Amino acid sequence: MAKYSRLEVAQVMKETGMVPLFFHSDIELGKKVVKACYEGGARLMEFTSRGDFAHEVFGELNKYALAECPGMILGVGSVTDAAQASLYMSLGANFIVTPVLREDIAVVCNRRKVLWSPGCGSLTEICRAEELGCEIVKLFPGDLYGPKFVKGIKGPQPWTSIMPTGGVSPDEENLKGWFDVGVTCVGMGSQLISKDILASKDMEVLKLKVEEALAIIKKVRK
């Protein structure tokens, strides 16, 4: 069962401005990644469900976060159907992120008051997601749409909260481009938690990268 309600999760997304995301099958390495991001100031993390037995890894990481990282909110991304969403929520997922808009996922998440963020790529999809109760829409893949797309959406729909994922990097120019057009937060994967960091297991570097990214977001956001 989720520890945090969808409104609580949405508020933390708005306050911190960033959701780091990653996948790795090594549970012990995953714990180090969670801890490094937490010590760097992140209070959210999206575990992307992309490998065999990923749910088992997530279950252990969530237990670790609850015990060792007070206030750290773990959720799951790359969720493709309601059954998968329900499985992860039974393991304590505090939010569900999907690559596409699926109404079956909306139903099971809303039933449990769990935040869900569907990947949308058109104003029509965004409108439908909001009609289904979505608090923060995922713009995916962000690099194909870019900040101009967000600016276009926010014109007729200033109430829409958007989280681009893909095409977001921890440098000032990139982050300023997104926050200048009014994104609520950004999802950041391999540009933040790189393959090199995972291979070298240099968690001090990761901690510093998270700190720097959050400092830039605080500086550039309006």
Side-chain angles (χ1 to χ4, degrees):
M1 181 174 171
K3 183 178 180 181
Y4 301 91
S5 73
R6 62 186 177 190
L7 295 179
E8 289 171 328
V9 174
Q11 186 59 36
V12 176
M13 286 182 172
K14 292 174 183 176
E15 289 173 354
T16 63
M18 183 176 77
V19 181
L21 54 107
F22 88 109
F23 170 77
H24 202 284
S25 59
D26 186 325
I27 293 172
E28 294 308 312
L29 177 57
K31 290 178 181 178
K32 292 177 181 177
V33 170
V34 171
K35 188 70 169 180
C37 288
Y38 180 76
E39 291 180 344
R43 289 299 177 265
L44 299 139
M45 172 155 283
E46 175 189 324
F47 179 79
T48 54
S49 180
R50 293 181 178 173
D52 292 338
F53 308 108
H55 66 287
E56 295 180 4
V57 178
F58 174 77
E60 292 304 311
L61 295 186
N62 201 32
K63 291 175 188 176
Y64 173 79
L66 288 168
E68 303 295 333
C69 305
M72 188 62 156
I73 301 171
L74 262 59
V76 181
S78 299
V79 175
T80 56
D81 56 47
Q84 190 180 26
S86 295
L87 171 62
Y88 277 110
M89 285 188 287
S90 72
L91 294 170
N94 292 287
F95 59 94
I96 299 292
V97 182
T98 72
V100 296
L101 172 61
R102 283 185 60 105
E103 299 194 10
D104 60 332
I105 294 176
V107 170
V108 296
C109 289
N110 288 340
R111 184 182 297 137
R112 293 171 173 82
K113 302 292 194 295
V114 171
L115 182 141
W116 61 284
S117 184
C120 297
S122 71
L123 184 53
T124 299
E125 286 186 333
I126 290 171
C127 287
R128 184 57 184 147
E130 291 176 327
E131 289 167 356
L132 291 167
C134 176
E135 298 289 341
I136 299 177
V137 174
K138 173 184 175 180
L139 177 64
F140 181 77
D143 53 345
L144 294 184
Y145 295 97
K148 287 184 179 180
F149 182 86
V150 177
K151 185 177 181 180
I153 296 298
K154 296 284 280 187
Q157 295 199 174
W159 57 81
T160 295
S161 295
I162 297 175
M163 174 178 66
T165 301
V168 181
S169 58
D171 61 87
E172 186 167 339
E173 182 180 4
N174 182 280
L175 290 170
K176 189 175 189 305
W178 287 113
F179 282 96
D180 275 356
V181 294
V183 300
T184 297
C185 62
V186 295
M188 207 180 310
S190 60
Q191 296 285 345
L192 182 69
I193 308 172
S194 66
K195 291 181 179 179
D196 288 343
I197 286 176
L198 293 175
S200 66
K201 301 181 181 180
D202 193 338
M203 296 300 115
E204 189 61 30
V205 169
L206 176 56
K207 174 186 172 183
L208 290 173
K209 287 187 72 173
V210 171
E211 285 179 350
E212 290 169 359
L214 289 171
I216 292 170
I217 289 170
K218 187 175 181 179
K219 175 183 177 182
V220 302
R221 77 189 319 179
K222 295 180 177 180

